[in-house]
Amino acid sequence: MKKEVRTRLAITNKKLTLALLVAVLLLAVAGWWLIARGTGDFSVEVNNSIDVTPEQIQKIEAIGQWEFLAISDEELVDTTRKGFFSNDQLARIYYGTLRIGIDMSKAKDGWIQTRGDSLTAILPAVGLLDEDFIDEARTKTFYESGKWSAQERETMYQKARQKMKAHSLSAENLRSAEQQADTHFRQLFRSMGFSHVAIRFEQVPQVPQDGRR
């Protein structure tokens, strides 16, 4: 009987000794981790890189024309044709809406560049999106005397187009549309996770006033 009790006590002592060794080992590991953490030997790397996939770029380009400013205009155009006995006159009022914005189909390859959480985008120049901006159905004849050919009326139509473009495509209006485009695209890219966004626009070549390059 005494022998069985001694055997049980010996087994119990071995279990306690093993448990103590495990506890000491765990404390040693925990102490090493805390020391390493305090001395800077322990570090966690965080990857802040954000990728823009080709599919995302294609979706942005697929929208095509982005309108940022629409200007309604009306122009009075008149002409006089001198005759032998009297002069013929024609005056017409033209109405149109000029849409100013960006055509993403003109974006060059590599227009988006990313690095970490920073993005740089070079957008096409802001300009007139549609050359067919006069609503011919609303054109009104203000005064007409004599007979006028289709070619003469076409000449007046083209004159009205040039006057509308000169008034609407001013530096101030183009700058306003550019600012709205900058804000729109900046918000778009920040919603994709980019903290630092730089927006630039392509420059339109300057053409001399006499039309020669």
Side-chain angles (χ1 to χ4, degrees):
M1 186 68 178
K2 292 181 178 179
K3 185 176 181 180
E4 292 180 359
V5 172
R6 290 175 181 174
T7 303
R8 290 177 182 174
L9 289 173
I11 294 173
T12 301
N13 290 334
K14 289 181 179 179
K15 289 182 177 179
L16 290 172
T17 301
L18 182 60
L20 288 172
L21 288 174
V22 172
V24 171
L25 181 61
L26 290 175
L27 287 173
V29 172
W32 172 84
W33 181 82
L34 290 172
I35 293 172
R37 183 181 180 186
T39 57
D41 293 336
F42 181 81
S43 63
V44 177
E45 293 185 0
V46 179
N47 185 5
N48 291 324
S49 179
I50 303 172
D51 294 327
V52 179
T53 65
E55 290 76 14
Q56 289 175 314
I57 296 177
Q58 289 177 0
K59 287 181 180 179
I60 297 174
E61 295 175 348
I63 296 177
Q65 294 183 339
W66 296 52
E67 179 185 319
F68 296 106
L69 187 64
I71 302 173
S72 296
D73 191 12
E74 61 179 76
E75 297 290 345
L76 173 63
V77 179
D78 62 330
T79 185
T80 300
R81 183 177 57 209
K82 294 183 178 181
F84 186 76
F85 295 104
S86 62
N87 297 332
D88 295 331
Q89 294 182 325
L90 177 61
R92 310 191 81 190
I93 302 175
Y94 298 86
Y95 300 87
T97 301
L98 292 83
R99 299 166 47 243
I100 302 174
I102 292 175
D103 188 351
M104 291 305 298
S105 67
K106 297 180 180 179
K108 296 181 180 179
D109 293 339
W111 64 278
I112 286 183
Q113 298 293 330
T114 63
R115 184 176 182 180
D117 63 346
S118 299
L119 179 145
T120 300
I122 302 178
L123 302 176
V126 169
L128 184 64
L129 295 177
D130 186 4
E131 290 286 345
D132 189 17
F133 51 82
I134 290 183
D135 186 355
E136 296 188 65
R138 295 181 60 195
T139 301
K140 297 178 180 179
T141 299
F142 182 72
Y143 178 81
E144 182 175 3
S145 63
K147 294 183 179 181
W148 300 86
S149 66
Q151 181 59 45
E152 290 170 323
R153 293 176 185 272
E154 176 64 20
T155 300
M156 294 184 66
Y157 171 84
Q158 294 298 333
K159 186 176 181 180
R161 288 185 73 256
Q162 294 303 319
K163 291 179 68 174
M164 287 187 183
K165 291 176 71 174
H167 292 161
S168 301
L169 299 179
S170 63
E172 181 180 358
N173 287 339
L174 292 175
R175 184 165 52 250
S176 176
E178 191 173 275
Q179 290 173 350
Q180 293 189 47
D182 182 288
T183 300
H184 183 88
F185 276 92
R186 195 176 296 274
Q187 292 175 348
L188 172 64
F189 293 131
R190 282 180 176 170
S191 70
M192 297 170 65
F194 292 96
S195 301
H196 308 284
V197 178
I199 303 293
R200 298 203 301 270
F201 296 87
E202 295 179 10
Q203 299 298 315
V204 178
Q206 297 295 323
V207 179
Q209 293 182 357
D210 59 3
R212 293 176 297 179
R213 293 184 180 274

